[in-house]
Amino acid sequence: MKIGFIGAGNMAEAFMKGLLSSKLAKVEDIIASEVVPERREFIGRSLGVRVTASNADVAKASEVIILAVKPQHVAVVLGDMKPFLSGAHLIISIAAGVKIAAIEQHLDPAVRVVRVMPNNACLVGESASAFASGKAATKADKETVQKVLESVGIAYHVEEKLLDAVTGLSGSGPAYCYMMIEAMADGGVLAGLPRDVATMLAAQTLLGSAKAVLETKRHPGELKDMVASPAGTTIEGIRVLEEGGFRGMVIDAVEAGARRSAELGAK
């Protein structure tokens, strides 16, 4: 695959690294456009990929184009690129909140479009992503996007109407996890642990727990019950969390994020 990036920010960099490390693409297969000269030079120097200030160069050199610009820049960028795009191109958009129809209206109907909602864990190769297909996208396009996203984590194909829910869950979710790590570390400090030790123990605890769910495929409730022995320390902690409405608050947070995503997408 000849893969191009419009925008070479942190998310684009993470995808480039994933593609290269998974051997889905070689250095010579990737080209990226970036308007900031310092960032453009950094990407070219650190990853060895071809860089340019011209979006047209990317369109001419690529079959798959990952649109990694801020949402407010999508219309202008696609308008400039339209003369260089055809049915030979697959556009993968990671522009948050920009619907497929809004992308397609700036393109020839033959151009295939897929909209992706990744999360910032793609920076460490552990993204939880979902994607939805446009009118012209094919089964082969879905398979291509699946491979691209799996180079930086896991991915699921969903209907576009569900991407707001994905945004509330896995898009915003890392922030909730960081808050949980910070809060657990604070608790460790309160109980006497050094700050650095408490933070690393808290982070590793979330990582290990997530890995247990992913690898054993057991229900989280079952795994929780394995830790909570009768009259023990864990069930006492669970009692405190339940009294504070912990699970209900997390559910409400995900729902609020999904609702806000829908509101922003409607503007």
Side-chain angles (χ1 to χ4, degrees):
M1 285 187 295
K2 300 295 183 182
I3 302 177
F5 287 81
I6 306 298
N10 291 331
M11 294 287 273
E13 180 184 356
F15 274 98
M16 289 184 225
K17 288 179 177 177
L19 290 166
L20 293 171
S21 64
S22 66
K23 299 194 170 33
L24 275 180
K26 299 177 182 178
V27 168
E28 57 267 28
D29 296 326
I30 297 177
I31 180 173
S33 64
E34 171 58 49
V35 296
V36 179
E38 295 80 8
R39 181 66 184 175
R40 188 166 64 241
E41 292 166 9
F42 170 78
I43 290 295
R45 182 175 66 255
S46 62
L47 298 183
V49 302
R50 180 184 168 194
V51 291
T52 176
S54 169
N55 294 334
D57 288 347
V58 173
K60 293 174 184 176
S62 309
E63 302 161 317
V64 177
I65 298 175
I66 297 180
L67 191 62
V69 298
K70 294 184 183 301
Q72 62 267 32
H73 298 153
V74 168
V76 173
V77 167
L78 292 179
D80 290 342
M81 292 178 65
K82 185 174 181 178
F84 308 100
L85 297 173
S86 70
H89 290 97
L90 167 62
I91 304 292
I92 302 174
S93 172
I94 63 171
V98 183
K99 294 186 176 180
I100 292 172
I103 296 171
E104 290 178 334
Q105 71 178 353
H106 297 287
L107 300 170
D108 183 284
V111 179
R112 296 113 63 207
V113 176
V114 172
R115 177 186 167 195
V116 174
M117 183 63 224
N119 69 12
N120 83 332
C122 73
L123 301 176
V124 291
E126 295 293 349
S127 181
S129 306
F131 64 101
S133 304
K135 296 176 182 177
T138 66
K139 181 180 178 181
D141 292 333
K142 294 178 187 177
E143 293 171 352
T144 295
V145 175
Q146 188 82 37
K147 290 177 182 178
V148 169
L149 294 178
E150 286 180 348
S151 75
V152 292
I154 64 171
Y156 293 91
H157 184 264
V158 300
E159 295 179 57
E160 187 179 21
K161 66 182 181 180
L162 295 178
L163 287 182
D164 290 325
V166 172
T167 301
L169 175 57
S170 56
S172 301
Y176 312 149
C177 294
Y178 300 143
M179 291 174 70
M180 182 68 175
I181 291 170
E182 185 179 32
M184 288 175 64
D186 284 346
V189 172
L190 181 63
L193 288 172
R195 169 66 62 182
D196 58 342
V197 173
T199 299
M200 291 300 101
L201 287 175
Q204 182 66 32
T205 297
L206 260 73
L207 173 64
S209 301
K211 194 170 183 180
V213 173
L214 291 169
E215 294 191 2
T216 68
K217 309 297 184 187
R218 291 185 175 184
H219 191 282
E222 181 184 356
L223 294 170
K224 176 210 70 180
D225 289 347
M226 291 170 62
V227 184
S229 54
T233 60
T234 303
I235 196 65
E236 181 67 13
I238 289 173
R239 180 187 63 78
V240 172
L241 290 174
E242 292 289 18
E243 286 180 351
F246 174 74
R247 285 194 284 190
M249 290 184 69
V250 174
I251 292 169
D252 288 347
V254 172
E255 183 187 33
R259 184 171 61 249
R260 182 58 175 157
S261 175
E263 290 170 356
L264 293 172
K267 291 183 179 179

